[in-house]
Amino acid sequence: MEIKVMKRAMQAGIDTANDTRKLLKNKKILMINLIGSPGAGKTLIIENTLEMLGAKGRKAAVIEGDIASSKDALRLQKYGIPIVMINTGGNCHLDAASVAKALKEFDPEGLDIIIIENVGNLVCPAGFDLGEDFKVAVSSVTEGDDKPEKYPLLFREATLLLLNKVELISAVNFDKKEYYNGVNKLNGAITKLEVSAAKKIGMDKWINWLDAQIEDKIKLEG
Amino acid sequence: MEIKVMKRAMQAGIDTANDTRKLLKNKKILMINLIGSPGAGKTLIIENTLEMLGAKGRKAAVIEGDIASSKDALRLQKYGIPIVMINTGGNCHLDAASVAKALKEFDPEGLDIIIIENVGNLVCPAGFDLGEDFKVAVSSVTEGDDKPEKYPLLFREATLLLLNKVELISAVNFDKKEYYNGVNKLNGAITKLEVSAAKKIGMDKWINWLDAQIEDKIKLEG
């Protein structure tokens, strides 16, 4: 009985995610799902991304997933873009239903990209499809080089990996070879970029990559 | 129906945790539950703790909670103490039942303390009683000074807070005042210690505090 309840809920989540994907395909809007530990630098990466994509004339909206506070949503208000905050009330990840509901709060006309900042968590969010085009793993060198092996699902599920805070590599004895060995064992196809959102290192590569994905989505037959 | 199932499972967890607490009270063994983000430094803190408590003649055992790998358990093998690894198979926290089962793997005779390293996660583990005497929050400055406000439950539930990696405070622009304001709003009674497990800063205060808790537990009437 309990297993049936679980399966029913999971199937509903998958259906909702697929509906969202279909909707955004029709509207030619890219949606990405940023996932990483608390403090990995997701919000600062989004701040940089909004500035740099804005300079290219791209129109963005953000869905902010947070356990309790509206701190991150408030940080993004200065960009004058649509932001919907989802307060998960203790739940450790966003789900497809809340994202579908959040999308109804936007006027999607003219949008190029929707950026989802998931709840800061290296475990739960990776298992949930929100209807995004792809997941982006945000991992920071200060978390240590053993994280891929210890938290494999996100590294398996993500299309792109941003290794953040690279200016601190020597301060925290981060072994890049060990780290990338772990990543490659889990996902040979993942695109890997090294960045520092705080020091604006490598962000241009990330923006160019993202801009190309936006372009591909626009060109995609509906 | 679904709510009933949930309530039944939760009550079973509370009962199991209380049974564990009773057992360890009789045996006069302290049990602590270390919780923090991936890469906050929990395992390194445990390594330091085992060394320093060992030097005081205290006998320890460790329960290691991990999503997937046995990496942390292997790191601790050199201390020649009992270690039980619980592989949660994707679950984002330890539960009382697995800890109760793990305790059957030890010979508790002569043990002073059992240290639980929970799954690296700032969200889920804080909500689950494992039968411990108290929870220890491990927070690192590289995660940012906004974490208490964004992830309140752990800071509410913990008896002691270890703020780790303090040698990196200036490198990451961590605002201590902002951080402690957040902590104090959630939990005025929490004991706060600043440490660096990597640079061996402040660890003596932590060990003295822990040693006093062990002593109190031994003196407690069974």
Side-chain angles (χ1 to χ4, degrees), chain B residues 28-149:
Chain B
K28 296 175 180 297
I29 303 171
L30 187 77
M31 184 160 82
I32 65 172
N33 179 2
L34 257 73
I35 302 177
S37 292
K42 295 179 294 301
T43 314
L44 199 55
I45 285 171
I46 292 175
E47 290 190 55
N48 275 290
T49 304
L50 292 175
E51 249 169 58
M52 296 171 81
L53 280 182
K56 284 179 179 287
R58 299 298 192 188
K59 300 288 176 207
V62 173
I63 296 175
E64 269 297 330
D66 249 315
I67 294 287
S69 85
S70 54
K71 241 182 141 93
D72 289 344
L74 293 172
R75 270 173 72 182
L76 300 179
Q77 269 188 340
K78 59 174 176 273
Y79 298 99
I81 57 159
I83 301 169
V84 177
M85 201 192 77
I86 302 175
N87 199 309
T88 65
N91 201 349
C92 58
H93 61 87
L94 288 174
D95 59 30
S98 3
V99 169
K101 211 174 145 199
L103 286 173
K104 290 186 183 142
E105 308 281 325
F106 291 145
D107 175 9
E109 241 21 77
L111 278 185
D112 296 302
I113 181 171
I114 296 168
I115 303 173
I116 300 173
E117 178 173 358
N118 220 309
V119 175
N121 195 311
L122 207 45
V123 184
C124 326
F128 292 83
D129 183 2
L130 306 179
E132 71 273 349
D133 286 284
F134 48 82
K135 294 181 175 69
V136 174
V138 180
S139 183
S140 67
V141 301
T142 52
E143 294 163 47
D145 46 42
D146 59 352
K147 291 303 156 293
E149 195 176 338

Side-chain angles (χ1 to χ4, degrees), chain A residues 1-8:
Chain A
M1 171 61 93
E2 296 170 37
I3 289 169
K4 260 193 198 163
V5 169
M6 280 288 287
K7 276 197 180 158
R8 213 157 55 213

Side-chain angles (χ1 to χ4, degrees), chain A residues 135-154:
Chain A
K135 292 180 175 72
V136 174
V138 180
S139 182
S140 67
V141 302
T142 51
E143 295 163 47
D145 46 40
D146 58 352
K147 291 303 156 293
E149 194 176 336
K150 291 189 59 190
Y151 304 90
L153 187 59
L154 175 60

Side-chain angles (χ1 to χ4, degrees), chain A residues 203-221:
Chain A
M203 294 303 290
D204 47 341
K205 279 191 187 158
W206 154 242
I207 296 300
N208 289 341
W209 185 89
L210 199 56
D211 196 55
Q213 309 299 318
I214 293 173
E215 206 52 41
D216 285 353
K217 187 81 184 245
I218 293 170
K219 286 182 188 148
L220 204 70
E221 292 301 313

